[in-house]
Amino acid sequence: MKKLSAALMALLLSACSSQVYVPDQETIQSNVKPLDRDMYLRGDFTLWDAEPHYKLGAQQPGIYTVRAKFMTPGKVYEFKIADESWSKGFNCGYQSSGSLQLNKPIPANCDTVYNYFSFAPSKKGWYTITFDYRNSASPMVMVSKG
């Protein structure tokens, strides 16, 4: 029993002494592949056109935002994030559920044709749509107030 306890203690101590590499923010940002084209918020409120005032802007490597004014509380606004040509790999809608809630990011699928995001604001005003492309294989979309 003593030998088993000693072996278990040695195993636990060796596990505690192993180091886990956690990259710092600079390392993470330097590995982000930037988008090579302009992306737009395109929806029923833009007649699905790529309008210049709905072009996403880079906030930091891999994070893009645009502001939209939603004027009808309770109305369901539908939109996608896409380039001008609706190109494969840059036509982003929802992956499994498209209903957005404030400050809750959801995964995007950038090879979809019909999966529109939907958002029903509780109050009229300005909202920020964030497209997190830091992991291009699994981008995320989020809506926040302001």
Side-chain angles (χ1 to χ4, degrees), residues 70 77 79 97-107 117-122 127-130 141-145:
F70 297 138
Y77 291 89
F79 60 88
S97 171
S99 183
L100 287 159
Q101 297 178 17
L102 278 180
N103 304 314
K104 293 186 178 177
I106 65 171
F117 294 105
S118 62
F119 176 68
S122 61
Y127 291 83
T128 299
I129 291 79
T130 301
V141 172
M142 182 177 74
V143 175
S144 55
K145 186 78 171 106

mmCIF file of all heavy atoms in Angstrom, residues 70 77 79 97-107 117-122 127-130 141-145:
data_model
loop_
_atom_site.group_PDB
_atom_site.id
_atom_site.type_symbol
_atom_site.label_atom_id
_atom_site.label_comp_id
_atom_site.label_asym_id
_atom_site.label_seq_id
_atom_site.Cartn_x
_atom_site.Cartn_y
_atom_site.Cartn_z
ATOM 1 N N PHE A 70 -31.276 50.014 -36.069
ATOM 2 C CA PHE A 70 -32.498 49.239 -36.161
ATOM 3 C C PHE A 70 -33.607 50.050 -35.490
ATOM 4 O O PHE A 70 -33.547 50.310 -34.292
ATOM 5 C CB PHE A 70 -32.327 47.874 -35.496
ATOM 6 C CG PHE A 70 -31.288 47.004 -36.154
ATOM 7 C CD1 PHE A 70 -30.406 46.260 -35.395
ATOM 8 C CD2 PHE A 70 -31.196 46.906 -37.540
ATOM 9 C CE1 PHE A 70 -29.457 45.437 -35.982
ATOM 10 C CE2 PHE A 70 -30.252 46.087 -38.147
ATOM 11 C CZ PHE A 70 -29.384 45.357 -37.365
ATOM 12 N N TYR A 77 -34.884 41.492 -37.961
ATOM 13 C CA TYR A 77 -33.990 41.910 -39.044
ATOM 14 C C TYR A 77 -33.171 40.694 -39.455
ATOM 15 O O TYR A 77 -32.608 40.000 -38.607
ATOM 16 C CB TYR A 77 -33.061 43.027 -38.578
ATOM 17 C CG TYR A 77 -33.772 44.337 -38.332
ATOM 18 C CD1 TYR A 77 -34.315 44.636 -37.092
ATOM 19 C CD2 TYR A 77 -33.912 45.265 -39.352
ATOM 20 C CE1 TYR A 77 -34.980 45.824 -36.869
ATOM 21 C CE2 TYR A 77 -34.569 46.470 -39.140
ATOM 22 C CZ TYR A 77 -35.103 46.742 -37.890
ATOM 23 O OH TYR A 77 -35.765 47.932 -37.677
ATOM 24 N N PHE A 79 -29.954 39.209 -41.830
ATOM 25 C CA PHE A 79 -28.741 39.666 -42.504
ATOM 26 C C PHE A 79 -27.708 38.563 -42.590
ATOM 27 O O PHE A 79 -27.814 37.525 -41.943
ATOM 28 C CB PHE A 79 -28.158 40.895 -41.798
ATOM 29 C CG PHE A 79 -27.782 40.676 -40.360
ATOM 30 C CD1 PHE A 79 -26.523 40.210 -40.010
ATOM 31 C CD2 PHE A 79 -28.684 40.966 -39.347
ATOM 32 C CE1 PHE A 79 -26.173 40.025 -38.687
ATOM 33 C CE2 PHE A 79 -28.339 40.782 -38.015
ATOM 34 C CZ PHE A 79 -27.083 40.315 -37.685
ATOM 35 N N SER A 97 -27.893 27.763 -35.633
ATOM 36 C CA SER A 97 -29.058 28.541 -35.217
ATOM 37 C C SER A 97 -28.754 30.003 -35.498
ATOM 38 O O SER A 97 -27.706 30.503 -35.109
ATOM 39 C CB SER A 97 -29.332 28.345 -33.729
ATOM 40 O OG SER A 97 -30.322 29.254 -33.307
ATOM 41 N N GLY A 98 -29.657 30.690 -36.162
ATOM 42 C CA GLY A 98 -29.373 32.050 -36.595
ATOM 43 C C GLY A 98 -29.921 33.145 -35.728
ATOM 44 O O GLY A 98 -29.714 34.317 -35.999
ATOM 45 N N SER A 99 -30.621 32.807 -34.668
ATOM 46 C CA SER A 99 -31.235 33.814 -33.826
ATOM 47 C C SER A 99 -30.195 34.411 -32.869
ATOM 48 O O SER A 99 -29.719 33.743 -31.958
ATOM 49 C CB SER A 99 -32.382 33.196 -33.036
ATOM 50 O OG SER A 99 -33.018 34.187 -32.273
ATOM 51 N N LEU A 100 -29.852 35.670 -33.111
ATOM 52 C CA LEU A 100 -28.854 36.354 -32.285
ATOM 53 C C LEU A 100 -29.506 37.027 -31.086
ATOM 54 O O LEU A 100 -30.598 37.581 -31.197
ATOM 55 C CB LEU A 100 -28.124 37.413 -33.115
ATOM 56 C CG LEU A 100 -27.127 36.882 -34.130
ATOM 57 C CD1 LEU A 100 -26.859 37.898 -35.222
ATOM 58 C CD2 LEU A 100 -25.834 36.504 -33.428
ATOM 59 N N GLN A 101 -28.807 36.981 -29.960
ATOM 60 C CA GLN A 101 -29.198 37.698 -28.754
ATOM 61 C C GLN A 101 -28.063 38.642 -28.402
ATOM 62 O O GLN A 101 -26.899 38.357 -28.732
ATOM 63 C CB GLN A 101 -29.457 36.721 -27.620
ATOM 64 C CG GLN A 101 -30.607 35.778 -27.901
ATOM 65 C CD GLN A 101 -30.799 34.776 -26.770
ATOM 66 O OE1 GLN A 101 -30.309 34.957 -25.669
ATOM 67 N NE2 GLN A 101 -31.498 33.712 -27.056
ATOM 68 N N LEU A 102 -28.370 39.730 -27.746
ATOM 69 C CA LEU A 102 -27.348 40.721 -27.394
ATOM 70 C C LEU A 102 -26.169 40.082 -26.664
ATOM 71 O O LEU A 102 -26.361 39.300 -25.730
ATOM 72 C CB LEU A 102 -27.928 41.813 -26.505
ATOM 73 C CG LEU A 102 -28.679 42.930 -27.202
ATOM 74 C CD1 LEU A 102 -29.195 43.930 -26.176
ATOM 75 C CD2 LEU A 102 -27.839 43.637 -28.235
ATOM 76 N N ASN A 103 -24.978 40.423 -27.123
ATOM 77 C CA ASN A 103 -23.702 40.058 -26.478
ATOM 78 C C ASN A 103 -23.458 38.552 -26.373
ATOM 79 O O ASN A 103 -22.681 38.115 -25.532
ATOM 80 C CB ASN A 103 -23.608 40.696 -25.089
ATOM 81 C CG ASN A 103 -23.787 42.197 -25.158
ATOM 82 O OD1 ASN A 103 -23.193 42.859 -26.000
ATOM 83 N ND2 ASN A 103 -24.627 42.732 -24.301
ATOM 84 N N LYS A 104 -24.104 37.768 -27.228
ATOM 85 C CA LYS A 104 -23.890 36.316 -27.226
ATOM 86 C C LYS A 104 -23.438 35.886 -28.619
ATOM 87 O O LYS A 104 -24.265 35.770 -29.532
ATOM 88 C CB LYS A 104 -25.167 35.578 -26.823
ATOM 89 C CG LYS A 104 -25.538 35.850 -25.383
ATOM 90 C CD LYS A 104 -26.711 35.011 -24.961
ATOM 91 C CE LYS A 104 -27.003 35.301 -23.488
ATOM 92 N NZ LYS A 104 -28.167 34.602 -23.004
ATOM 93 N N PRO A 105 -22.133 35.670 -28.791
ATOM 94 C CA PRO A 105 -21.636 35.271 -30.111
ATOM 95 C C PRO A 105 -22.117 33.877 -30.507
ATOM 96 O O PRO A 105 -22.287 33.006 -29.647
ATOM 97 C CB PRO A 105 -20.112 35.300 -29.947
ATOM 98 C CG PRO A 105 -19.864 35.232 -28.489
ATOM 99 C CD PRO A 105 -21.072 35.763 -27.794
ATOM 100 N N ILE A 106 -22.365 33.723 -31.805
ATOM 101 C CA ILE A 106 -22.730 32.409 -32.329
ATOM 102 C C ILE A 106 -21.844 32.088 -33.530
ATOM 103 O O ILE A 106 -21.369 32.988 -34.215
ATOM 104 C CB ILE A 106 -24.232 32.300 -32.691
ATOM 105 C CG1 ILE A 106 -24.607 33.229 -33.836
ATOM 106 C CG2 ILE A 106 -25.110 32.532 -31.490
ATOM 107 C CD1 ILE A 106 -26.025 32.995 -34.354
ATOM 108 N N PRO A 107 -21.615 30.806 -33.790
ATOM 109 C CA PRO A 107 -20.753 30.406 -34.911
ATOM 110 C C PRO A 107 -21.382 30.739 -36.260
ATOM 111 O O PRO A 107 -22.596 30.654 -36.432
ATOM 112 C CB PRO A 107 -20.622 28.893 -34.747
ATOM 113 C CG PRO A 107 -21.164 28.554 -33.416
ATOM 114 C CD PRO A 107 -22.056 29.660 -33.000
ATOM 115 N N PHE A 117 -28.709 35.304 -40.503
ATOM 116 C CA PHE A 117 -28.811 35.628 -39.085
ATOM 117 C C PHE A 117 -30.097 36.413 -38.898
ATOM 118 O O PHE A 117 -30.546 37.123 -39.795
ATOM 119 C CB PHE A 117 -27.630 36.496 -38.625
ATOM 120 C CG PHE A 117 -26.311 35.797 -38.671
ATOM 121 C CD1 PHE A 117 -25.400 36.083 -39.671
ATOM 122 C CD2 PHE A 117 -25.960 34.846 -37.723
ATOM 123 C CE1 PHE A 117 -24.175 35.448 -39.725
ATOM 124 C CE2 PHE A 117 -24.748 34.195 -37.770
ATOM 125 C CZ PHE A 117 -23.846 34.500 -38.766
ATOM 126 N N SER A 118 -30.677 36.326 -37.712
ATOM 127 C CA SER A 118 -31.845 37.144 -37.404
ATOM 128 C C SER A 118 -31.640 37.788 -36.035
ATOM 129 O O SER A 118 -31.039 37.201 -35.144
ATOM 130 C CB SER A 118 -33.130 36.315 -37.430
ATOM 131 O OG SER A 118 -33.091 35.297 -36.462
ATOM 132 N N PHE A 119 -32.143 39.009 -35.930
ATOM 133 C CA PHE A 119 -32.029 39.750 -34.677
ATOM 134 C C PHE A 119 -33.271 40.616 -34.527
ATOM 135 O O PHE A 119 -33.630 41.358 -35.447
ATOM 136 C CB PHE A 119 -30.769 40.610 -34.665
ATOM 137 C CG PHE A 119 -30.647 41.462 -33.431
ATOM 138 C CD1 PHE A 119 -30.432 40.883 -32.186
ATOM 139 C CD2 PHE A 119 -30.753 42.836 -33.509
ATOM 140 C CE1 PHE A 119 -30.339 41.658 -31.041
ATOM 141 C CE2 PHE A 119 -30.646 43.616 -32.370
ATOM 142 C CZ PHE A 119 -30.439 43.029 -31.143
ATOM 143 N N ALA A 120 -33.911 40.544 -33.363
ATOM 144 C CA ALA A 120 -35.094 41.349 -33.054
ATOM 145 C C ALA A 120 -34.750 42.254 -31.873
ATOM 146 O O ALA A 120 -34.763 41.802 -30.726
ATOM 147 C CB ALA A 120 -36.283 40.458 -32.731
ATOM 148 N N PRO A 121 -34.412 43.523 -32.138
ATOM 149 C CA PRO A 121 -34.053 44.422 -31.034
ATOM 150 C C PRO A 121 -35.251 44.716 -30.132
ATOM 151 O O PRO A 121 -36.390 44.787 -30.600
ATOM 152 C CB PRO A 121 -33.595 45.691 -31.758
ATOM 153 C CG PRO A 121 -34.303 45.654 -33.074
ATOM 154 C CD PRO A 121 -34.444 44.205 -33.427
ATOM 155 N N SER A 122 -34.969 44.860 -28.858
ATOM 156 C CA SER A 122 -36.045 45.220 -27.929
ATOM 157 C C SER A 122 -36.253 46.736 -27.881
ATOM 158 O O SER A 122 -37.308 47.199 -27.468
ATOM 159 C CB SER A 122 -35.745 44.689 -26.526
ATOM 160 O OG SER A 122 -34.548 45.248 -26.044
ATOM 161 N N TYR A 127 -26.750 49.554 -33.139
ATOM 162 C CA TYR A 127 -26.213 48.271 -32.711
ATOM 163 C C TYR A 127 -24.910 48.009 -33.458
ATOM 164 O O TYR A 127 -24.750 48.432 -34.606
ATOM 165 C CB TYR A 127 -27.215 47.137 -32.991
ATOM 166 C CG TYR A 127 -28.434 47.223 -32.108
ATOM 167 C CD1 TYR A 127 -29.497 48.054 -32.425
ATOM 168 C CD2 TYR A 127 -28.496 46.503 -30.917
ATOM 169 C CE1 TYR A 127 -30.600 48.156 -31.595
ATOM 170 C CE2 TYR A 127 -29.597 46.594 -30.087
ATOM 171 C CZ TYR A 127 -30.645 47.431 -30.434
ATOM 172 O OH TYR A 127 -31.739 47.530 -29.592
ATOM 173 N N THR A 128 -23.997 47.342 -32.793
ATOM 174 C CA THR A 128 -22.731 46.972 -33.402
ATOM 175 C C THR A 128 -22.754 45.480 -33.706
ATOM 176 O O THR A 128 -23.041 44.675 -32.823
ATOM 177 C CB THR A 128 -21.544 47.305 -32.462
ATOM 178 O OG1 THR A 128 -21.542 48.712 -32.215
ATOM 179 C CG2 THR A 128 -20.214 46.890 -33.082
ATOM 180 N N ILE A 129 -22.443 45.165 -34.950
ATOM 181 C CA ILE A 129 -22.340 43.766 -35.358
ATOM 182 C C ILE A 129 -20.854 43.456 -35.457
ATOM 183 O O ILE A 129 -20.109 44.144 -36.152
ATOM 184 C CB ILE A 129 -23.055 43.502 -36.705
ATOM 185 C CG1 ILE A 129 -24.583 43.639 -36.553
ATOM 186 C CG2 ILE A 129 -22.756 42.090 -37.202
ATOM 187 C CD1 ILE A 129 -25.095 45.000 -36.530
ATOM 188 N N THR A 130 -20.413 42.443 -34.733
ATOM 189 C CA THR A 130 -19.003 42.058 -34.688
ATOM 190 C C THR A 130 -18.820 40.726 -35.402
ATOM 191 O O THR A 130 -19.559 39.774 -35.150
ATOM 192 C CB THR A 130 -18.522 41.935 -33.230
ATOM 193 O OG1 THR A 130 -18.716 43.195 -32.579
ATOM 194 C CG2 THR A 130 -17.052 41.549 -33.155
ATOM 195 N N VAL A 141 -20.184 35.566 -34.871
ATOM 196 C CA VAL A 141 -20.919 36.816 -35.079
ATOM 197 C C VAL A 141 -21.641 37.168 -33.792
ATOM 198 O O VAL A 141 -22.171 36.285 -33.107
ATOM 199 C CB VAL A 141 -21.916 36.682 -36.247
ATOM 200 C CG1 VAL A 141 -22.808 37.902 -36.350
ATOM 201 C CG2 VAL A 141 -21.172 36.458 -37.561
ATOM 202 N N MET A 142 -21.652 38.474 -33.477
ATOM 203 C CA MET A 142 -22.298 38.926 -32.254
ATOM 204 C C MET A 142 -22.920 40.310 -32.498
ATOM 205 O O MET A 142 -22.382 41.103 -33.279
ATOM 206 C CB MET A 142 -21.284 39.024 -31.117
ATOM 207 C CG MET A 142 -21.888 39.455 -29.787
ATOM 208 S SD MET A 142 -20.682 39.470 -28.439
ATOM 209 C CE MET A 142 -19.741 40.923 -28.837
ATOM 210 N N VAL A 143 -24.018 40.597 -31.820
ATOM 211 C CA VAL A 143 -24.659 41.906 -31.842
ATOM 212 C C VAL A 143 -24.572 42.495 -30.442
ATOM 213 O O VAL A 143 -24.834 41.805 -29.455
ATOM 214 C CB VAL A 143 -26.132 41.817 -32.269
ATOM 215 C CG1 VAL A 143 -26.807 43.176 -32.171
ATOM 216 C CG2 VAL A 143 -26.267 41.273 -33.675
ATOM 217 N N SER A 144 -24.186 43.774 -30.376
ATOM 218 C CA SER A 144 -24.160 44.470 -29.092
ATOM 219 C C SER A 144 -24.806 45.852 -29.275
ATOM 220 O O SER A 144 -24.902 46.354 -30.385
ATOM 221 C CB SER A 144 -22.730 44.579 -28.544
ATOM 222 O OG SER A 144 -21.890 45.185 -29.485
ATOM 223 N N LYS A 145 -25.235 46.436 -28.197
ATOM 224 C CA LYS A 145 -25.886 47.762 -28.247
ATOM 225 C C LYS A 145 -24.825 48.824 -28.368
ATOM 226 O O LYS A 145 -23.791 48.776 -27.723
ATOM 227 C CB LYS A 145 -26.717 47.967 -26.964
ATOM 228 C CG LYS A 145 -27.534 49.219 -26.943
ATOM 229 C CD LYS A 145 -28.787 49.078 -27.775
ATOM 230 C CE LYS A 145 -29.713 50.257 -27.569
ATOM 231 N NZ LYS A 145 -29.741 51.169 -28.672
#
